[in-house]
Amino acid sequence: MTEIFPGVKEIYSKYLSVPSTSAIDAQGTSYRWHVLDNQEELTQRGITPVGTLVCVHGNPTWSYLWRSLFNHVSDHQLAWRIVAVDHLDMGLSERTGKFRRLAERVNDLGDVIDALDLGNNVTTVGHDWGGIISLGWAVAHQERLNNVVLTNTAVHPAGFELPAALKIATHPAVHGWGTKSTRAFLQVTHSLAQPALDPQVRQAFMAPYTSAQKREGVANFVADIPFLPEHPSRGALDEISEAVRSLKVPALMLWGPKDPVFSDRYLRDLMSRLPQAQVHRFEGASHLVGEDRDIATPIFEWLDSTPDSAHSARVQSEDAYLPMLAELDSRQDDPSAAVVDIHPPRSLSWAELGQRVNALASGLQQIGVKSGDRVNLLVPPGIELTSLIYACLRLGAVIVVADAGLGTKGLGRAIKGAGPSFLVGINRALTGARVMGWPGTKIAVEELSSAKRKVLGVEHTLDELLEAGSSTGATAGSFTASDPDADAAVLFTSGSTGPAKGVVYTHRQLSAMRDTLRETYHLKAGSSLVAGFAPFALLGPALGATSVTPDMDVTAPRTLTASALADAAVAVNATTVFASPAALANVLATKAELNTAQRKTLSNVELMLSAGAPIPEPLLDKVQQLVPNAKVHTPYGMTEALPVTDIDLDGIREAGQGNGVCVGTAVAGATIAIAPIDDLGVAGDQPEFTPNVTGEILVRAAHVKDRYDRLWVTEQASSSITGWHRTGDVGHFDGEGRLWVEGRLGHVLSMAQGAVTPVAAEHAVQSVKGAGRAALVGVGPAGTQAAVVVMETVPAAPKAGPASGELTSLVRSAVAATGIEVAAVLVVKSLPTDIRHNSKIDRAALAQWASSTLAGGRIRTP
């Protein structure tokens, strides 16, 4: 079978004459439609379809847009019929010479579906204005509808500003020239692809529109956008938009967030109308999401999936559910300190904190915050953030916590992805929200002048909410208890392995996290906590622990000094300290500034916790000297499951040297397993507990996340083994049942000798005199990759590039002991790390840099 266009088999292309039932056409009028249809191929293979996908393109594309779906079904011999239509006046269908408005186009779609006799079991798939047209047919034929799939579309513009691209296209001075006389509108649309379209593909998209006459439909489509209430198509749009709410069938939305036309606000609107929808946002993808990313695989995986199967496999805690607010509510008359701020000095007792939380919850409620609403908190850890978190939990509102440690770009992606209805922030955050267009009703933490409020779009302040809430005399009993299995929080990953992912926790799962920490570390009510890591500041009141955040920039862990840590410990007579490895490194570097009183306070610390990245035993030993009477623990975990395992300094010493970093055994209530990897580094799907078998680390526990937020594809991959979360880390059990982490699954080298994990080799490099941190990366095609070491030196190398012959020889010799032959050694001044922890090395970026450098490219800073 030949291809009529790149990627489209000739067998799919067909023409049919379809009688029109549209009121604008004379009775007996028929039109020549073009469709892509795989029915003949299915028949040749003896396959009876289980259902039909009716794919509807928008403007100015045509049925060619859906070629990946046809090819996926053909390649995998799936039992799905696909029919992709070309609208009349569009693609290869007949030019009618008539202005066909939205109502006519919905009617036309019904005509061709009936002419093809598609029967029931129909799944509509729509893009751009094909989305609203497909939904128009769907709401009118619900008895024949099985599913709805939507990609970058919209159903209602009410209250939304006309996108700039369409403003230009609809302007009378531009419309005819831009959409019909020239190819400008098509060229602009095609230019939105990320990455750019292949020239042959671009030419194929242009093929049906080679003259002004053939572009008449393109112009009419644009002119039919009903943004104004008096527009002739506004009534049809309103009717369909409201009727969409009646659809109860499963729905899937695949979205390109960089779309300048149908941005995330249209996605949020659709989600409000189809709350049952599964959603995946492809970060970096734009309007032509089906060109930018593989949408065929997730569509057919979704069609084959069982609704809510992942949720049914969630692990339930054996303990009775106790809300996060239980400890706070039980201490409403307690005058002792609950939360302390260092700069400026301030504290609240348990009684005062409870009153503040209730007043703030009442104030938020009065401005419209309700259960299920998302509230983005851009507030540093401390009294204000603690009060806001627990006020939102009180209301059943969902807290969105994306810290500035993600960087401006990463933070913006996270906030837009989460789509909060309200945004509470300090001045700097509100300025960023205004400039970057972050969503949500704006609430200022600080008092602002009228002029600044207007400039920043601030509608309320925290003091106003507290005053309004205090006047109601609200108590804990004034609010309806939240559903334990409702969403409670969206927390974001560090972004060290790609764009930060939103991780959704329910109230039950947050409570299980609290219970795991309490049981594992014996954190009982009355303890006092120095939280140099934001999540533990969140959990302090739930644990009944007096908590304080040191005077530091929590988005930059390396800013924590020994004096700042000691001052925080003094403020609450700390029994427990939590800080990241990067923070502890700077604490040790500045310990000489400690005075006698500060050292004495630190000697009273009973428990020191540090997580976020592996910590070398020598560093831990120095930490132990700083807190001589404390148990020093390094829990292993992630945003999706905090913590997973735990080990103390004695345990690390007992484990000794091995392939990776020993992270101990599972914490209370958790189970860990290994999914073995093959020679190419691909993990299997069977949990195993066999010692010395390397594979992907799996975890199951009541405190594992509910799901990834609006990342259906990612969630499906992470929960593909029923009841388990795939961590993306690789490791193995030793003979004593301890877990060793060997790196990330994506960092495994696929060499001729098989799959090789990087950590053991990196440790060997660090044993070389003058070596700093190191990363082992693979360069070349899978199965034959070469091992390349990228490393820091002490003192730091003046510039990036190949290592000296002497250093290269020493590194090769050291790594050879692990069974790996190093092809090249490169030095850099500093390895790139994640922003939040300042410690997770970006090996993916280093692999690209090493590949370019060794290929003779210009040597840049990685």
Side-chain angles (χ1 to χ4, degrees):
M1 289 176 286
T2 60
E3 292 185 347
I4 56 170
F5 290 98
V8 178
K9 297 177 184 177
E10 186 175 0
I11 194 175
Y12 299 151
S13 180
K14 67 171 61 174
Y15 291 89
L16 62 158
S17 180
V18 179
S20 173
T21 62
S22 175
I24 67 170
D25 294 316
Q27 189 171 3
T29 300
S30 290
Y31 291 116
R32 188 169 185 257
W33 283 75
H34 175 260
V35 300
L36 297 179
D37 184 354
N38 69 343
Q39 176 65 56
E40 186 176 344
E41 183 177 63
L42 292 177
T43 300
Q44 290 177 358
R45 292 179 173 175
I47 296 175
T48 301
V50 296
T52 302
L53 273 64
V54 175
C55 304
V56 189
H57 70 86
N59 187 33
T61 56
W62 58 290
S63 55
Y64 183 71
L65 181 74
W66 306 109
R67 66 195 181 282
S68 67
L69 275 65
F70 287 90
N71 295 332
H72 189 91
V73 167
S74 180
D75 292 344
H76 296 82
Q77 297 195 28
L78 303 181
W80 286 94
R81 183 179 181 183
I82 307 175
V83 174
V85 303
D86 284 352
H87 297 293
L88 293 175
D89 305 312
M90 299 289 287
L92 303 181
S93 288
E94 184 174 344
R95 270 50 178 170
T96 68
K98 295 183 178 180
F99 195 119
R100 311 190 77 79
R101 297 197 178 276
L102 175 59
E104 281 81 55
R105 294 207 174 277
V106 173
N107 192 81
D108 291 343
L109 179 61
D111 287 344
V112 74
I113 288 175
D114 290 343
L116 288 165
D117 192 22
L118 298 184
N120 300 328
N121 301 328
V122 171
T123 294
T124 58
V125 186
H127 175 256
D128 189 84
W129 287 103
I132 184 72
I133 294 167
S134 68
L135 288 171
W137 182 89
V139 297
H141 299 84
Q142 297 193 41
E143 74 284 357
R144 300 172 64 183
L145 187 69
N146 268 15
N147 310 280
V148 166
V149 178
L150 297 170
T151 64
N152 286 63
T153 185
V155 295
H156 209 285
F160 294 164
E161 184 183 356
L162 188 67
L166 290 182
K167 276 185 179 178
I168 296 172
T170 57
H171 193 281
V174 176
H175 176 253
W177 171 84
T179 60
K180 181 179 177 181
S181 300
T182 72
R183 302 188 302 171
F185 187 70
L186 285 96
Q187 290 170 329
V188 169
T189 301
H190 299 161
S191 71
L192 298 176
Q194 303 281 334
L197 295 175
D198 180 276
Q200 286 187 316
V201 172
R202 187 188 297 267
Q203 186 176 359
F205 272 119
M206 283 285 194
Y209 306 112
T210 54
S211 67
Q213 185 273 330
K214 290 183 177 181
R215 292 191 289 268
E216 181 94 35
V218 174
N220 292 346
F221 244 122
V222 173
D224 196 42
I225 300 172
F227 275 91
L228 298 176
E230 61 270 19
H231 191 284
S233 287
R234 186 56 176 264
L237 179 70
D238 289 346
E239 183 179 344
I240 295 170
S241 298
E242 191 55 38
V244 167
R245 301 182 189 277
S246 69
L247 294 176
K248 303 304 178 187
V249 297
L252 175 68
M253 300 181 196
L254 302 176
W255 214 261
K258 290 185 70 175
D259 190 343
V261 182
F262 298 120
S263 58
D264 274 331
R265 61 186 175 185
Y266 295 100
L267 172 61
R268 293 192 294 272
D269 176 69
L270 281 165
M271 290 174 64
S272 72
R273 298 170 193 272
L274 293 168
Q276 75 273 30
Q278 301 287 358
V279 177
H280 187 88
R281 297 171 70 259
F282 292 96
E283 284 293 355
S286 186
H287 179 67
L288 297 174
V289 62
E291 299 296 322
D292 298 350
R293 300 291 188 272
D294 171 18
I295 64 169
T297 300
I299 285 175
F300 290 105
E301 286 183 352
W302 175 76
L303 289 169
D304 192 43
S305 65
T306 303
D308 297 324
S309 59
H311 287 81
S312 64
R314 297 287 186 254
V315 177
Q316 297 291 326
S317 173
E318 295 180 1
D319 298 328
Y321 169 69
L322 196 64
M324 288 285 284
L325 285 147
E327 188 68 36
L328 181 60
D329 291 344
S330 71
R331 302 175 72 169
Q332 56 187 337
D333 298 321
D334 190 338
S336 64
V339 59
V340 176
D341 281 354
I342 293 292
H343 185 67
R346 182 186 175 199
S347 68
L348 289 182
S349 69
W350 288 97
E352 291 168 334
L353 178 60
Q355 292 165 6
R356 186 178 179 85
V357 165
N358 294 333
L360 193 50
S362 178
L364 288 167
Q365 194 174 57
Q366 290 177 53
I367 65 168
V369 180
K370 59 186 182 301
S371 179
D373 283 346
R374 292 188 169 191
V375 183
N376 184 204
L377 303 178
L378 296 174
V379 184
I383 287 174
E384 302 299 7
L385 180 59
T386 300
S387 302
L388 284 162
I389 287 171
Y390 285 86
C392 289
L393 292 175
R394 176 75 81 199
L395 285 175
V398 183
I399 58 171
V400 177
V401 182
D403 62 63
L406 297 176
T408 303
K409 188 176 179 180
L411 182 61
R413 275 198 305 254
I415 294 171
K416 289 181 178 179
S421 300
F422 298 85
L423 186 152
V424 187
I426 57 176
N427 287 353
R428 184 175 62 180
L430 293 170
T431 301
R434 185 66 171 179
V435 172
M436 306 298 289
W438 297 341
T441 299
K442 307 302 184 291
I443 303 169
V445 171
E446 301 136 298
E447 285 301 307
L448 304 173
S449 66
S450 298
K452 193 163 187 178
R453 284 182 68 147
K454 185 175 182 180
V455 168
L456 296 179
V458 170
E459 297 188 29
H460 311 281
T461 68
L462 213 55
D463 282 349
E464 291 169 356
L465 298 183
L466 284 166
E467 183 177 355
S470 296
S471 66
T472 66
T475 64
S478 304
F479 305 93
T480 303
S482 298
D483 178 354
D485 296 311
D487 292 353
V490 182
L491 311 178
F492 279 85
T493 61
S494 66
S496 59
T497 56
K501 299 181 286 291
V503 177
V504 179
Y505 279 91
T506 64
H507 291 270
R508 190 187 303 276
Q509 289 160 345
L510 278 184
S511 295
M513 184 191 298
R514 172 205 60 202
D515 295 342
T516 294
L517 289 167
R518 175 181 287 159
E519 187 172 346
T520 301
Y521 299 111
H522 310 291
L523 293 171
K524 55 187 181 298
S527 58
S528 47
L529 170 69
V530 176
F533 188 55
F536 276 75
L538 179 157
L539 288 162
L543 289 163
T546 301
S547 53
V548 59
T549 301
D551 185 11
M552 64 178 291
D553 180 354
V554 292
T555 67
R558 290 174 179 166
T559 61
L560 180 61
T561 65
S563 289
L565 177 66
D567 288 343
V570 169
V572 295
N573 194 22
T575 58
T576 303
V577 173
F578 191 106
S580 73
L584 288 179
N586 196 54
V587 166
L588 292 173
T590 57
K591 66 180 181 179
E593 65 191 37
L594 292 171
N595 59 39
T596 302
Q598 290 172 324
R599 289 181 181 277
K600 183 177 180 181
T601 299
L602 291 176
S603 70
N604 293 329
V605 172
E606 300 171 1
L607 175 66
M608 169 67 79
L609 298 171
S610 184
I615 308 176
E617 188 270 337
L619 176 63
L620 279 180
D621 185 62
K622 293 177 181 177
V623 171
Q624 180 71 83
Q625 295 172 35
L626 191 67
V627 284
N629 297 311
K631 282 283 188 181
V632 179
H633 287 251
T634 61
Y636 157 71
M638 55 218 67
T639 308
E640 298 90 337
L642 183 69
V644 173
T645 68
D646 178 71
I647 192 169
D648 61 15
L649 180 55
D650 290 340
I652 291 172
R653 288 168 174 162
E654 181 182 342
Q657 298 296 311
N659 182 15
V661 175
C662 185
V663 294
T665 55
V667 296
T671 305
I672 48 179
I674 297 294
I677 58 174
D678 61 19
D679 286 347
L680 293 177
V682 178
D685 57 7
Q686 293 297 320
E688 292 190 14
F689 305 88
T690 308
N692 301 312
V693 172
T694 294
E696 184 177 12
I697 299 168
L698 313 176
V699 57
R700 61 184 305 162
H703 64 278
V704 169
K705 59 129 173 83
D706 187 69
R707 66 189 185 279
Y708 287 114
D709 186 44
R710 301 174 186 179
L711 292 169
W712 184 84
V713 176
T714 308
E715 174 56 31
Q716 288 298 106
S718 80
S719 57
S720 62
I721 303 177
T722 302
W724 295 89
H725 168 64
R726 307 186 78 131
T727 67
D729 289 338
V730 288
H732 69 275
F733 293 114
D734 65 16
E736 304 298 320
R738 294 170 299 212
L739 179 67
W740 292 72
V741 177
E742 300 177 50
R744 291 286 296 172
L745 191 60
H747 301 156
V748 174
L749 284 69
S750 178
M751 303 178 67
Q753 68 192 72
V756 174
T757 56
V759 174
E762 292 168 355
H763 285 175
V765 174
Q766 291 167 345
S767 70
V768 173
K769 184 178 180 181
R773 294 182 302 174
L776 185 76
V777 299
V779 172
T784 60
Q785 284 187 329
V788 176
V789 170
V790 185
M791 60 184 293
E792 298 172 348
T793 58
V794 182
K799 62 180 182 179
S804 67
E806 181 183 2
L807 180 59
T808 297
S809 178
L810 289 172
V811 168
R812 282 176 171 159
S813 177
V815 176
T818 68
I820 300 171
E821 182 180 348
V822 173
V825 179
L826 303 173
V827 295
V828 294
K829 187 173 182 180
S830 178
L831 294 174
T833 60
D834 68 294
I835 299 175
R836 179 183 291 169
H837 300 294
N838 300 143
S839 53
K840 294 182 179 178
I841 297 170
D842 190 344
R843 290 176 178 83
L846 286 174
Q848 292 180 348
W849 174 81
S851 180
S852 173
T853 299
L854 294 172
R858 180 182 175 187
I859 300 178
R860 304 176 183 273
T861 301

